[in-house]
Amino acid sequence: MHYLDFVFIFIFTTLVLITGIAFAKAGGKDMKSFFAAGGAVPWWMSSLSLFMGFFSAGTFVVWGSIAYTSGAVALGIQWTMALSGIIIGFIIAPKWRKANSLTVAEFITNRLGQNVQRTYTYIFLVISLFTSGAFLYPVAKIVSVAADFNIYYSILILGAISIIYVSIGGLWAVVVTDVLQFVILVSAVIIVLPLAFDQVGGVSEFVSNVPVDFFNLVNTEYTVWFLVAFGFYNLVFLGGNWAYVQRYTSVKTPKDAKKVGWMFGALYVISPVLWMLPPMLYRVYNPGLIGNEAEGAYLLMCKLALPVGMLGMMLGGMVFATASSLNATLNISSGVFTNDIYKRLYPGKTDKQLIKVARLSTILFGVLAVVVAMLIPAMGGIVNVVISLGALTGVPLYLPVIWTLFSRRQTAKSVVTVTVFSLLVNAFFKFISPLLLGFSLNRTEETMLGVSLPIVLLVAFELYFLKKKKVDPTYASYIEYKEKQAFLQVSDENQIASESKNNSYSLRVIGYAIGASGLIIGSIGMFAAIGKYIILPMAVLLIGLGIFIAVRNKKK
């Protein structure tokens, strides 16, 4: 990398930090501001944040690696996410908004009781340490490949940056920087694609020089049944992951929550093609990557195709886009600890004291995520960790809770039984069976087991309760609580006025940040040896978009 690339990485990093820190006041007023942005986030902004938080959980490294080695299989896997988002918009997202709870843990308390909440909280926090590490590692991998920088130093530095602005600005900082990263990343990908095609001689050369089965949507490892199971896993993960549920509960109405899911689905129809083409193209340029080397295919193509300076900007956008999942998970982990553990142990604490605990716990979870990220190479690499972690924990942990949004019959015992039993069975076949019995499941079998077992158990409990004509005794009190919270939210005029002010402020910050990004890209384009015809128009477009957003939402 040229020294100018590092200069632009520093500039972009500074811009993101300033944008996040700008919400220190808006995000630090009280618990609802820090963990739910006051319930004020516009639906389109929340959807973009959901999109960035979900796709960036290793997209460039995990799916990029699969795209390099297996081609369009990576597209088939990601298109299951589009269908999941659309279904969530119709069914699950509005249910979460109607629940009127600050966190999923709060919903579990009101619906199933405090003992169940404790059980799920502890399981979630332990698993979130591994998911946070799995989100941080790809960011560090990107920097390591592009900059020839030690991956462990990358983990430390990037972890520190994420901890700083999430601990200061809360969910507002996460959401607003997500929107900025979405705009910048899409712009950068649009710039890199034509330049990458030039490197391999154009579309026809690309098509004629890939393996015969490169455009198949399935293969022997990622079969049709894997896609079916993985699609259902995504439905449950998107619909029940505690960090993603924030995106449905932080908007104003259930109708807005529906739009969050629908827009996510629409974005995932188009985006996988944009994200996956660079590593697929690199397969033609250099087919010799083996093992974990394929994790760097995306960045290697960017290094090859982009002019000096633009690589730094692209790297900055990818780093912070990929860090989005880490930021969301840090925020919700801190929220669960503060709202559902600390607050119950010390009920007399003021909002100011709780915000202090929230920020300190964000730092603690961030440090632990750094430690886990450093251990990922010893766990078999990021592809193995992400897919196996999802198969083992996703559906058992989240589906039983989602089920209680719709069922009056499921009880505390039935829900906990399904989760704990499914986790134990999955862990047995993943870790114990290969050692003691010499028997292990392949990728499809592992995913099918993780998805199907909780479904079978929940259906069995539902049919049993239906036959006994039993309704959970706690359901009536939950409905009463939910209706009370809905009334309090509608009647708080001061909160409504504050929400409107924060929305306007957040949009102005986004406008200024997008305009500044356009100026940065324009300064690169002025001196670029190649690609000016793409870079400069994109810069003008970003500057114009930033000015339009800022002026339209100017302070009155």
Side-chain angles (χ1 to χ4, degrees):
M1 283 177 63
H2 195 275
Y3 77 92
L4 286 177
D5 290 310
F6 290 102
V7 169
F8 284 108
I9 290 174
F10 175 78
I11 293 172
F12 187 76
T13 300
T14 304
L15 176 63
V16 172
L17 278 173
I18 291 172
T19 303
I21 292 170
F23 287 87
K25 184 177 180 181
K29 292 186 299 184
D30 52 37
M31 290 283 285
K32 189 173 183 180
S33 296
F34 196 84
F35 295 119
V41 181
W43 68 266
W44 61 267
M45 193 184 294
S46 191
S47 185
L48 289 179
S49 181
L50 175 65
F51 176 80
M52 293 303 293
F54 186 76
F55 105 88
S56 57
T59 295
F60 299 117
V61 177
V62 178
W63 310 127
S65 174
I66 296 173
Y68 174 86
T69 56
S70 302
V73 168
L75 300 180
I77 293 172
Q78 291 180 80
W79 279 331
T80 66
M81 303 168 189
L83 181 60
S84 299
I86 293 168
I87 294 172
I88 285 166
F90 276 108
I91 301 173
I92 299 175
K95 277 286 188 179
W96 277 120
R97 184 59 188 85
K98 290 176 183 177
N100 295 313
S101 297
L102 183 63
T103 64
V104 176
E106 184 176 308
F107 164 77
I108 294 172
T109 301
N110 297 324
R111 174 64 181 83
L112 299 167
Q114 193 166 336
N115 289 333
V116 179
Q117 177 261 320
R118 287 196 193 100
T119 301
Y120 274 98
T121 295
Y122 295 138
I123 294 173
F124 171 79
L125 289 178
V126 170
I127 292 175
S128 71
L129 293 179
F130 288 93
T131 55
S132 297
F135 296 150
L136 179 56
Y137 176 83
V139 192
K141 183 74 176 186
I142 287 169
V143 174
S144 175
V145 171
D148 242 356
F149 194 58
N150 184 285
I151 191 168
Y152 296 108
Y153 291 145
S154 299
I155 290 171
L156 287 171
I157 294 169
L158 295 167
I161 291 171
S162 292
I163 289 167
I164 288 170
Y165 76 78
V166 177
S167 63
I168 292 175
L171 186 61
W172 268 120
V174 174
V175 171
V176 170
T177 52
D178 280 348
V179 174
L180 170 63
Q181 290 153 17
F182 172 82
V183 174
I184 300 307
L185 191 62
V186 169
S187 303
V189 169
I190 291 173
I191 290 171
V192 78
L193 274 178
L195 299 177
F197 271 108
D198 286 346
Q199 292 294 325
V200 299
V203 176
S204 60
E205 285 295 311
F206 167 58
V207 173
S208 61
N209 284 284
V210 294
V212 176
D213 60 349
F214 204 64
F215 296 110
N216 293 348
L217 295 179
V218 294
N219 61 18
T220 54
E221 183 176 9
Y222 302 101
T223 64
V224 171
W225 286 111
F226 171 84
L227 293 186
V228 170
F230 193 70
F232 188 83
Y233 158 76
N234 282 318
L235 177 66
V236 173
F237 191 65
L238 268 170
N241 181 285
W242 295 14
Y244 301 147
V245 169
Q246 278 183 302
R247 304 308 187 268
Y248 316 133
T249 60
S250 61
V251 296
K252 290 183 179 180
T253 67
K255 187 176 180 180
D256 285 344
K258 287 184 177 183
K259 294 176 182 176
V260 171
W262 293 339
M263 183 175 175
F264 174 93
L267 288 170
Y268 249 106
V269 172
I270 302 167
S271 63
V273 180
L274 299 178
W275 310 144
M276 295 300 99
L277 273 174
M280 290 170 71
L281 287 163
Y282 195 74
R283 174 65 181 268
V284 174
Y285 183 85
N286 177 14
L289 299 184
I290 57 174
N292 288 347
E293 292 177 347
E295 293 177 354
Y298 199 109
L299 253 295
L300 290 170
M301 176 51 81
C302 291
K303 288 177 73 173
L304 182 68
L306 289 173
V308 170
M310 197 63 221
L311 176 60
M313 192 68 180
M314 177 74 176
L315 183 60
M318 289 173 67
V319 162
F320 281 100
T322 310
S324 174
S325 291
L326 169 64
N327 302 334
T329 304
L330 287 181
N331 181 258
I332 191 58
S333 298
S334 171
V336 168
F337 175 82
T338 307
N339 189 63
D340 304 297
I341 296 179
Y342 184 85
K343 187 178 177 181
R344 294 184 185 280
L345 292 174
Y346 304 98
K349 297 296 182 179
T350 64
D351 273 332
K352 185 176 180 180
Q353 291 171 319
L354 290 173
I355 289 297
K356 184 177 180 180
V357 172
R359 286 174 170 154
L360 289 173
S361 60
T362 300
I363 294 170
L364 173 63
F365 284 114
V367 170
L368 293 174
V370 167
V371 174
V372 172
M374 289 184 171
L375 297 175
I376 281 180
M379 300 179 192
I382 190 64
V383 174
N384 183 61
V385 170
V386 168
I387 294 180
S388 293
L389 186 64
L392 288 169
T393 66
V395 178
L397 182 60
Y398 303 125
L399 181 60
V401 177
I402 293 175
W403 201 286
T404 61
L405 286 169
F406 301 90
S407 173
R408 300 177 300 162
R409 304 181 188 281
Q410 295 290 340
T411 66
K413 288 184 179 179
S414 67
V415 167
V416 172
T417 298
V418 171
T419 293
V420 173
F421 182 75
S422 298
L423 288 173
L424 290 175
V425 170
N426 290 343
F428 173 81
F429 282 105
K430 179 66 179 179
F431 302 110
I432 299 174
S433 173
L435 294 176
L436 296 183
L437 305 177
F439 172 76
S440 60
L441 302 176
N442 63 33
R443 188 81 74 197
T444 297
E445 292 167 342
E446 182 179 80
T447 306
M448 287 293 293
L449 175 65
V451 167
S452 61
L453 181 58
I455 295 174
V456 171
L457 293 175
L458 285 165
V459 170
F461 273 117
E462 196 73 29
L463 292 175
Y464 172 78
F465 293 139
L466 182 63
K467 183 179 180 180
K468 295 289 185 180
K469 297 182 180 179
K470 180 178 179 180
V471 174
D472 184 13
T474 65
Y475 188 77
S477 60
Y478 159 69
I479 293 297
E480 183 180 340
Y481 170 85
K482 185 174 72 169
E483 291 174 351
K484 179 181 178 182
Q485 288 298 108
F487 174 77
L488 291 174
Q489 289 178 16
V490 171
S491 62
D492 192 345
E493 294 182 0
N494 291 331
Q495 181 69 30
I496 293 171
S498 177
E499 290 170 2
S500 177
K501 183 178 179 181
N502 281 340
N503 280 338
S504 179
Y505 176 71
S506 67
L507 289 169
R508 289 201 308 276
V509 171
I510 289 172
Y512 296 143
I514 291 174
S517 299
L519 289 173
I520 296 170
I521 292 176
S523 66
I524 296 171
M526 291 292 292
F527 302 100
I530 57 172
K532 282 187 179 183
Y533 67 96
I534 304 171
I535 298 173
L536 290 177
M538 184 59 68
V540 172
L541 179 63
L542 290 178
I543 293 169
L545 178 63
I547 292 172
F548 173 78
I549 293 173
V551 170
R552 184 164 181 168
N553 295 277
K554 65 182 179 180
K555 192 173 182 179
K556 297 180 181 179

